[in-house]
């Protein structure tokens, strides 16, 4: 091949490479987190595993075969839309197998809760308490499910308990997540990385000082601005004329706690936190990856703390937390999860509210 032609071909390849590279924005841990807010329908499974040292007599049902306190909780949920959601909660305590705890189903304004299965679980842990709850269910005529009309309860409580959101409110919710992700992206950029196709966020002995400095920068530079943006978002979503909206407006006026955080972390506290991370042999790694085309994406997120060495008066030994979550985007239906024999307690609860008087929004938050 002629040298001039070869040089021209190489130049074209370089130009095409640059064009291709510029057209694809590099992602990151927090950018992937922001993508999750765009995934509105589908199915998901989240599992949390907690291991603690301990052999307290009253917690023997939580001990595994190594003598550690072991608890695993699994959440399986289906999202058909923002007002049609089914969530089943299961748990594995100690050496037992996974067992269902309860199920929540939101079908429009109607919320269903499986108290029957929850009562059976309580009986296995504390038979006397379980029997008391079982008797209470009999008194209200419920075998398994009870239900509440959120719209009616909201009217009695003078606040909106429903999840109905118009386009403007949805955009506000999405923007809130983007604002959070953008801010954290900037402040914690030195803790981010990549492991194969996974984007990572890591805190360990090596970057302990960077992690604490990043938290200090976030507190000093961004926490107050971000706090106000989030409060404004909630006021817009809840409605400024509702009791809950007014409560959030009051929270925005009272800035004492936020001002305290915005002072940042003192040098003494920084050293203590860094020493704690190092002494605890902390190696916490969170990973996320969102793959596939819009409408059928799969998001995988995880957090693994590894064994954290703890030496306190109440706790000595290793503590470990592991969380894994997978969300598969796509069409989903909760039709088969909606119970047909639930006892509606709306009138009963509404009557109680009317007798007591409208509950203060602050009580609801607490």
């Amino acid at each position: 091949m002629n040298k001039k032609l070869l040089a021209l071909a190489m130049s074209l390849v370089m130009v095409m490479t640059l064009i291709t590279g510029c057209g694809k924005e590099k992602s990151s841990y927090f950018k992937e987190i922001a993508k999750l807010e765009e995934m509105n329908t589908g199915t998901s499974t989240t599992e949390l595993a907690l291991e603690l040292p301990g052999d307290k007599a009253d917690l023997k049902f939580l001990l595994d075969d190594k003598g550690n306190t072991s608890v695993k909780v699994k959440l399986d949920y289906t999202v058909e839309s923002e007002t049609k959601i089914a969530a089943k909660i299961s748990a594995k305590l100690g050496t037992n197998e996974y067992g269902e705890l309860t199920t929540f189903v939101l079908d429009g304004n109607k919320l269903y809760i499986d108290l029957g299965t929850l009562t059976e679980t309580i009986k296995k842990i504390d038979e006397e308490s379980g029997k008391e709850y079982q008797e209470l269910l009999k008194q209200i005529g419920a075998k398994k499910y009870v239900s509440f009309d959120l719209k009616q309860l909201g009217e009695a409580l003078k606040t909106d308990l429903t999840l109905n959101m118009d386009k403007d409110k949805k955009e506000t919710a999405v923007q809130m997540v983007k604002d959070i992700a953008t801010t954290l992206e900037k402040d914690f950029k030195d803790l981010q990385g990549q492991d194969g196709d996974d984007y990572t966020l890591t805190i360990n002995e090596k970057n302990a000082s960077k992690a604490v400095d990043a938290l200090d920068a976030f507190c000093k530079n961004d926490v107050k601005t971000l706090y106000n943006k989030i409060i404004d978002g909630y006021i817009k979503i809840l409605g400024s004329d509702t009791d809950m909206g007014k409560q959030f407006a009051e929270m925005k006026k009272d800035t004492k706690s936020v001002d305290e955080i915005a002072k940042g972390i003192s040098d003494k506290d920084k050293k203590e936190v860094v020493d704690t991370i190092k002494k605890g042999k902390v190696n916490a790694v969170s990973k996320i990856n969102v793959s596939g085309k819009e409408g059928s994406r799969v998001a995988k997120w995880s957090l693994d703390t590894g064994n954290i060495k703890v030496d306190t008066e109440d706790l000595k030994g290793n503590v470990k937390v592991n969380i894994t979550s997978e969300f598969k985007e796509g069409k989903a239906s909760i039709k088969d999860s909606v119970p047909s024999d639930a006892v509606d307690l709306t009138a009963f609860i509404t009557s109680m509210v009317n007798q007591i008087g409208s509950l203060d929004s602050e009580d609801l938050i607490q």
Side-chain angles (χ1 to χ4, degrees), residues 283-321:
N283 185 31
V285 182
S286 182
K287 297 182 179 182
I288 186 170
N289 176 262
V290 180
S291 60
K293 296 180 179 180
E294 187 174 344
S296 59
R297 290 170 289 188
V298 176
K300 294 182 179 181
W301 178 87
S302 66
L303 169 64
D304 189 348
T305 65
N307 285 319
I308 301 175
K309 295 183 182 299
V310 178
D311 187 3
T312 65
E313 186 177 337
D314 299 321
L315 206 60
K316 296 181 186 295
N318 291 327
V319 175
K320 184 176 182 180
V321 179

Side-chain angles (χ1 to χ4, degrees), residues 125-226:
I125 298 172
D126 185 336
E127 190 170 356
E128 284 301 313
S129 296
K131 286 181 178 179
E132 289 178 9
Y133 285 116
Q134 197 170 45
E135 185 59 33
L136 181 60
L137 286 179
K138 286 181 180 179
Q139 290 177 13
I140 62 176
K143 293 181 179 179
K144 191 171 183 180
Y145 277 91
V146 296
S147 65
F148 308 90
D149 188 301
L150 296 180
K151 187 176 182 180
Q152 291 182 38
L153 285 179
E155 289 171 353
L157 295 167
K158 294 182 180 179
T159 191
D160 187 3
L161 297 179
T162 69
L163 296 180
N164 294 304
M165 291 201 293
D166 56 24
K167 183 180 178 182
D168 194 32
K169 289 181 178 180
K170 288 178 184 178
E171 290 177 352
T172 299
V174 172
Q175 189 58 50
M176 284 169 62
V177 174
K178 287 183 177 179
D179 286 340
I180 294 170
T182 300
T183 302
L184 297 179
E185 168 83 20
K186 173 175 65 70
D187 290 329
F188 296 91
K189 61 181 182 296
D190 291 338
L191 307 182
Q192 297 182 81
Q194 195 167 0
D195 180 12
D197 293 329
D198 296 322
Y199 295 93
T200 63
L201 186 74
T202 305
I203 297 177
N204 55 28
E205 296 176 77
K206 294 180 180 179
N207 70 1
S209 294
K210 284 184 178 180
V212 177
D213 286 341
L215 181 60
D216 181 48
F218 169 72
C219 292
K220 287 179 178 176
N221 304 326
D222 298 305
V223 72
K224 193 167 183 178
T225 300
L226 190 58

